[in-house]
Amino acid sequence: AQGKFNTAVALLYSFYWEKIDAALAEVLAADPTCAMAHWAKAVASLDNALGSPPTPTLQKQGWEAVQKAKQLGARTQRERDYIAAVEQVFKDYDTVPFATRASAYEQALEQIHLRYPEDSEAAILYAFWLQVTADRNDQTYAQQLESARILEKILPGKPNHPGITHFIIHAYDFPPIAAHGVNAAERYAAIAP
């Protein structure tokens, strides 16, 4: 189940939406009690939040996945923290604006990143959500550059991680700073052609 889960999360980091459901079904076939598979389903329901908020249907699916993850119960405190964090972005999805919930999720991810500094996945997710919640009118690109700094710090230890390189590309996806993302784009082309 762990190997299948790792594959599903790699697909998630690559925004390979059409393959994620089948990959998570394989995880649950191998381990029907895997709460983190439902966490991954919730995260996948956010779709590409950099582009636009998820649709109401996806938000409903995400909320249902969070509830299923909580019902199954996570095996470790860290897993419970991840589930509680993603709950922030789906809780009250039908009444609270997405930007408010996205900010709460980013803050929850920051706390996981601080609580588990050795957890590169926490750093990657937090860095990505810094991009999602960044003020698009901020021409200093402060949050995007902070995101890139976090990602570039962990890149040497995980040079083939699809999330790190993919999200570095997005951090620099603005004309004035785009040249900084070229190396990541070339690396990502080899990781996830």
Side-chain angles (χ1 to χ4, degrees):
Q2 183 66 56
K4 293 177 186 308
F5 180 80
N6 292 348
T7 297
V9 173
L11 294 169
L12 183 69
Y13 282 141
S14 293
F15 298 168
Y16 204 177
W17 311 121
E18 58 271 15
K19 297 287 186 181
I20 293 170
D21 283 344
L24 291 172
E26 288 185 24
V27 174
L28 290 168
D31 179 3
T33 67
C34 181
M36 291 303 286
H38 296 283
W39 164 85
K41 173 64 175 170
V43 173
S45 297
L46 291 166
D47 202 32
N48 180 6
L50 276 175
S52 62
T55 65
T57 300
L58 285 173
Q59 292 185 73
K60 181 177 187 288
Q61 289 173 6
W63 178 245
E64 290 168 356
V66 168
Q67 296 308 304
K68 184 67 173 174
K70 289 173 62 176
Q71 177 187 22
L72 285 173
R75 295 182 179 123
T76 67
Q77 183 58 50
R78 184 166 53 170
E79 290 176 349
R80 286 187 286 279
D81 291 344
Y82 273 90
I83 293 166
V86 80
E87 181 178 18
Q88 296 299 309
V89 79
F90 290 110
K91 184 175 158 187
D92 300 321
Y93 69 90
D94 52 348
T95 58
V96 176
F98 179 74
T100 301
R101 292 179 286 116
S103 180
Y105 184 39
E106 178 221 305
Q107 291 168 18
L109 288 171
E110 179 184 27
Q111 291 308 305
I112 294 172
H113 173 53
L114 294 172
R115 190 173 304 127
Y116 306 102
E118 76 291 347
D119 183 350
S120 60
E121 301 305 310
I124 294 164
L125 290 167
Y126 171 56
F128 177 70
W129 278 84
L130 281 172
Q131 296 175 36
V132 172
T133 61
D135 179 354
R136 298 291 184 239
N137 296 315
D138 177 7
Q139 297 299 299
T140 69
Y141 309 105
Q143 280 189 219
Q144 293 91 339
L145 293 173
E146 175 62 12
S147 171
R149 186 195 64 75
I150 292 167
L151 295 165
E152 289 168 343
K153 182 178 177 182
I154 57 179
L155 178 63
K158 296 187 174 282
N160 294 316
H161 191 295
I164 297 169
T165 53
H166 187 191
F167 299 157
I168 288 172
I169 295 166
H170 285 294
Y172 293 125
D173 197 12
F174 303 90
I177 58 175
H180 297 290
V182 172
N183 288 338
E186 291 170 351
R187 180 184 304 269
Y188 188 63
I191 293 169

